[in-house]
Amino acid sequence: MNINSTRNALLRARNLRNAKRSRSRRVMSSRTNTTNRGSNTNSIKRPSSIGSSSQSKQISLYEKIEKAASDIQNTTKNMIVIGNMTYSDDEAGKAAKEKGWESLVSNIKKFVSDFNTVVNGLDDIAGATNLAQKKTLDNIVSANADQLKEIGITVSKSGELSIDEKTLTSADQEKVKALFAKENSFADKISSKMEAVESSAASSLTVLNKMYGATSTYNKYGTSNSYFGSNNYFNSGYFNNYGSYMNSGSWYI
């Protein structure tokens, strides 16, 4: 599989979704403004649909997961480049090495922030596939917990990472690089799993965006009242095209 081709396809799909959503917001804004101009200022606004709000929240979570998973892969590549750098012993080399170290610490902080976004998002949405992905990430973290703690990174009960910046910046640089800036390191193993997380989130967004406007949404247990109850989706053939996602549990349940 061509990884670059796959990642480019995911990026194009994300950009297309954002463009469509931007157009939809402009249309909705235009309709709202037209309605407001023609209505009495004292009229009562109808509350928004609870289902629609819940669905929008889930779409937002998947978008955050997709982006954070992609960013982790890019950040890890940057860290490995830093880890493979060599420096001369003169003053210029020492200055470059210090700058490289500062850049590595900055990248580690971003890695941790994005990692927490992913694990929290997977936990919030839940469903069998998301929780299985989170479990895989938890196992990698658990296997490296002692080494991470030694350089100032601890793990919470929920699987989040936390940095003691003072400990990290004063840690043995080679130990830090061994965890974050080498091939087959802790960060590299996490990054490889993020390819599947990003792809799964992108697939989920495609399906959820097609379903947008349904009377209810997929909840955190991976079920949907409207999927079978809505004549619009069932009778239109939507079930035949996308029902396999629900039955196979291949993307979010």
Side-chain angles (χ1 to χ4, degrees):
M1 179 182 291
N2 189 319
I3 294 177
N4 288 332
S5 176
T6 301
R7 290 187 52 69
N8 287 337
L10 288 170
L11 181 59
R12 286 195 297 272
R14 186 193 307 160
N15 290 337
L16 180 60
R17 284 196 304 273
N18 290 339
K20 287 181 178 179
R21 189 165 296 113
S22 179
R23 287 196 296 271
S24 297
R25 285 170 180 158
R26 287 198 296 270
V27 171
M28 290 299 294
S29 177
S30 175
R31 289 176 179 174
T32 301
N33 291 336
T34 301
T35 302
N36 289 341
R37 285 195 297 269
S39 62
N40 188 296
T41 56
N42 294 324
S43 62
I44 300 175
K45 295 182 180 179
R46 292 184 179 182
S48 60
S49 167
I50 294 177
S52 177
S53 176
S54 176
Q55 190 171 31
S56 296
K57 181 179 179 181
Q58 190 174 44
I59 288 174
S60 178
L61 280 171
Y62 271 122
E63 287 175 336
K64 289 179 180 178
I65 290 170
E66 182 190 29
K67 183 179 184 304
S70 175
D71 287 349
I72 283 173
Q73 294 168 70
N74 292 328
T75 300
T76 301
K77 289 178 182 178
N78 292 338
M79 292 192 293
I80 290 175
V81 169
I82 294 171
N84 289 332
M85 285 183 173
T86 57
Y87 306 95
S88 60
D89 293 331
D90 57 16
E91 290 302 317
K94 291 178 181 179
K97 184 177 181 180
E98 181 62 27
K99 186 174 181 180
W101 172 246
E102 291 173 358
S103 179
L104 179 57
V105 170
S106 177
N107 275 278
I108 291 173
K109 288 160 69 175
K110 176 166 175 50
F111 177 100
V112 167
S113 176
D114 287 329
F115 178 86
N116 290 340
T117 295
V118 170
V119 297
N120 287 330
L122 293 174
D123 199 37
D124 285 343
I125 300 174
T129 296
N130 291 327
L131 294 182
Q133 289 175 332
K134 183 178 182 297
K135 181 64 175 177
T136 298
L137 297 174
D138 287 342
N139 288 340
I140 297 173
V141 171
S142 179
N144 293 272
D146 291 340
Q147 295 93 321
L148 289 168
K149 185 176 181 180
E150 189 176 352
I151 66 168
I153 300 175
T154 53
V155 188
S156 72
K157 290 182 179 180
S158 63
E160 285 186 309
L161 299 178
S162 180
I163 297 177
D164 181 325
E165 191 169 346
K166 183 177 180 180
T167 302
L168 175 62
T169 54
S170 61
D172 185 310
Q173 294 188 16
E174 292 307 313
K175 289 183 178 181
V176 174
K177 288 179 182 179
L179 283 166
F180 286 94
K182 299 293 182 181
E183 292 182 359
N184 204 37
S185 62
F186 162 74
D188 198 26
K189 290 176 181 177
I190 291 291
S191 178
S192 68
K193 299 303 179 183
M194 288 298 171
E195 293 178 22
V197 172
E198 181 187 6
S199 179
S200 179
S203 297
S204 298
L205 282 167
T206 297
V207 175
L208 286 170
N209 281 322
K210 286 177 183 288
M211 290 181 62
Y212 198 83
T215 56
S216 65
T217 65
Y218 293 95
N219 61 33
K220 70 178 298 181
Y221 302 102
T223 60
S224 171
N225 294 328
S226 65
Y227 202 60
F228 290 100
S230 170
N231 290 328
N232 291 333
Y233 283 93
F234 188 86
N235 293 331
S236 67
Y238 187 88
F239 173 78
N240 293 329
N241 292 330
Y242 293 97
S244 61
Y245 283 105
M246 184 170 180
N247 293 330
S248 67
S250 62
W251 61 291
Y252 66 94
I253 63 173

